Amino acid sequence: MQSDIIMKEEIIMKKRVLAIAMAACMAASLTACGDGAKETTAAAETTAAAAAGDTTTAAGETPAASTGGVLKIGGIGPVTGGAAVYGIAVQNGAQLAVDEINAAGGINGMQVEFKFEDDEHDAEKSVNAYNTLKDWGMEMLMGTVTSNPCIAVAEKAKEDNMFMLTPSGSAVECVQYDNAFRVCFSDPNQGAASAQYIGENKLASKVAVIYDSSDVYSSGIYEKFAAEAKNQGIEVVSAEAFTADNNTDFTVQLQKAKEAGAELVFLPIYYTQASQILTQANTMGYAPMFFGCDGLDGILTVEGFDTSLAENVMLLTPFAADAQDDLTKNFVTSFKAAYTDTPIQFAADAYDAIYAIKAAAEKSGVTADMSVSDKCEAMKTGMTQITLDGLTGEGMTWTADGEPSKAPKAVKIVDGTYTAM
């Protein structure tokens, strides 16, 4: 057993070294290729080809000078439990970005130390994780991953005036304070965008919805979807809820959707329940189109799930691993080399989050000797002054209320992989 553990640790270390070496090579190649069209921050100059993309300052200004020292960034999310696929993806995507940035010289000369804590998708445990990271010396937070824990931690971060950038916390309340920003779309934006995508592409005129009324993520998306559906000429013929206490048998909800003649079932829920719904729909001979949001990302990893049942399922998500742009191809190559796995959207969200932190810190002149609160004040301004060409969107910008601006995208599962639509 001891030798197995040692061998695993050696394999992980070799993968990590390979990822850092790849980042350094990419950084060197970029340095040799000048672009007089615009000035870029250090992030763009040294790591764009590694998938962060061009990161420009607000007005083409020269980035802050290097300062040296260390910048401690914490992360929180589920790496065990039912939502672990999200947290593991975020942890790995963020770590890959950190390794690349450190190999290329850091942030304003500061080397980044990254520490990730498990919250098991539980609000109370997420607050405990936040306190653990504070004891470690966290100066900025990249997290948390899921909405309810993110809301709980946001209260603590506000009290400390700690800068936080959640990669995937989509509930409105996740960024209700001025120290909090997000990479993903908010729940209302996902709901409206889903209805618009279905309507504009004429996917269906009769739609059923199955959602979790006990979850702010799911119910928030549903409410906005239902409102926008009216504008798109979509009839919601059935809207059936479940709760966290009753989330394994969906035959009643599916039967009502079938009887109402729904051509498409909208699933603003997480992948575990979605896999059960697809399995039960197949058992009862009901085969409508299925359309979900970023919570469905991970459905292909559910243990024991027949992934053929997910064929042609559509997701509103900003990342597809099979996309052929250079940013995505380089990221996927590096991610597979480091973790022997194909990245999902949550990994891309986290990767973009770390590069957004780098860009904003360099734009606002964050230094190692600044207090946590002073760093936060600088980042509040810096985030509104950067533009990031990342994996989850081109020309991404942020407003002072913490919301990103980028174009929505959708993918379809084809032959067991996510394919850009």
Side-chain angles (χ1 to χ4, degrees):
M1 180 64 72
Q2 179 98 8
S3 61
D4 289 343
I5 293 173
I6 293 173
M7 288 179 64
K8 289 179 181 177
E9 291 178 344
E10 290 177 345
I11 291 170
I12 291 170
M13 181 59 69
K14 289 178 181 178
K15 291 176 182 175
R16 180 63 47 74
V17 170
L18 177 59
I20 294 174
M22 292 178 66
C25 290
M26 287 186 237
S29 65
L30 281 169
T31 303
C33 301
D35 181 4
K38 60 182 179 180
E39 288 190 42
T40 57
T41 65
E45 290 174 345
T46 58
T47 56
D54 283 339
T55 308
T56 62
T57 62
E61 298 174 3
T62 302
S66 296
T67 63
V70 170
L71 177 63
K72 290 190 172 185
I73 300 176
I76 302 173
V79 295
T80 58
V85 68
Y86 299 147
I88 293 171
V90 166
Q91 181 180 18
N92 290 345
Q95 186 65 62
L96 183 62
V98 167
D99 290 344
E100 291 175 356
I101 289 169
N102 283 339
I107 297 177
N108 280 342
M110 296 179 288
Q111 286 289 290
V112 178
E113 292 185 11
F114 180 65
K115 183 176 177 62
F116 197 88
E117 291 289 325
D118 184 14
D119 68 5
E120 301 179 40
H121 182 46
D122 179 271
E124 183 177 352
K125 292 177 180 178
S126 200
V127 170
N128 292 338
Y130 175 82
N131 290 330
T132 297
L133 288 170
K134 276 184 59 181
D135 292 340
W136 168 68
M138 174 175 62
E139 298 167 289
M140 297 181 188
L141 173 63
M142 193 283 305
T144 66
V145 173
T146 51
S147 287
N148 278 333
C150 190
I151 293 170
V153 167
E155 296 290 338
K156 299 299 181 182
K158 175 60 177 176
E159 293 174 6
D160 297 328
N161 201 30
M162 171 87 67
F163 174 78
M164 63 180 289
L165 174 61
T166 172
S168 47
S170 54
V172 172
E173 296 84 356
C174 289
V175 297
Q176 61 183 309
Y177 301 119
D178 64 355
N179 63 309
F181 293 75
R182 73 170 120 232
V183 173
C184 66
F185 286 121
S186 68
D187 294 341
N189 284 343
Q190 288 197 70
S194 295
Q196 291 164 4
Y197 193 92
I198 293 169
E200 291 171 3
N201 290 280
K202 302 186 185 305
L203 298 181
S205 59
K206 292 185 176 182
V207 173
V209 183
I210 301 176
Y211 69 101
D212 183 352
S213 60
S214 64
D215 181 71
V216 293
Y217 165 82
S218 185
S219 57
I221 294 177
Y222 161 65
E223 290 170 5
K224 196 67 175 181
F225 176 88
E228 181 60 28
K230 299 175 183 177
N231 299 328
Q232 298 296 324
I234 298 171
E235 181 184 1
V236 178
V237 295
S238 173
E240 295 296 319
F242 63 91
T243 68
D245 297 325
N246 183 23
N247 63 357
T248 57
D249 185 354
F250 302 95
T251 53
V252 172
Q253 292 93 331
L254 286 166
Q255 187 61 40
K256 289 186 177 181
K258 183 178 182 180
E259 292 174 353
E263 306 154 315
L264 180 150
V265 177
F266 180 52
L267 301 175
I269 58 177
Y270 294 121
Y271 62 93
T272 303
Q273 286 72 45
S275 68
Q276 294 169 334
I277 288 173
L278 294 178
T279 300
Q280 292 168 22
N282 179 65
T283 299
M284 60 190 291
Y286 182 37
M289 291 179 281
F290 289 98
F291 192 106
C293 297
D294 57 6
L296 261 64
D297 203 349
I299 192 170
L300 298 177
T301 68
V302 176
E303 185 175 355
F305 174 60
D306 180 359
T307 56
S308 68
L309 299 179
E311 188 73 4
N312 294 321
V313 168
M314 292 167 280
L315 295 77
L316 190 76
T317 178
F319 175 76
D322 72 336
Q324 293 303 300
D325 62 282
D326 288 341
L327 302 178
T328 300
K329 287 193 294 184
N330 288 328
F331 170 68
V332 172
T333 298
S334 297
F335 194 94
K336 286 182 176 179
Y339 306 111
T340 63
D341 195 12
T342 300
I344 62 174
Q345 175 214 321
F346 287 79
D349 282 334
Y351 190 89
D352 282 352
I354 294 295
Y355 274 104
I357 288 174
K358 172 179 169 63
E362 290 178 338
K363 175 61 183 176
S364 59
V366 170
T367 59
D369 58 354
M370 295 169 66
S371 68
V372 167
S373 182
D374 286 345
K375 285 183 173 73
C376 183
E377 290 302 315
M379 292 295 288
K380 290 177 188 178
T381 300
M383 284 296 295
T384 65
Q385 295 179 335
I386 62 171
T387 300
L388 182 71
D389 286 336
L391 294 166
T392 64
E394 296 180 0
M396 288 189 291
T397 59
W398 281 265
T399 56
D401 62 359
E403 298 290 355
S405 175
K406 56 184 176 180
K409 301 177 183 178
V411 301
K412 179 186 287 189
I413 297 176
V414 179
D415 295 329
T417 61
Y418 298 108
T419 304
M421 294 176 62

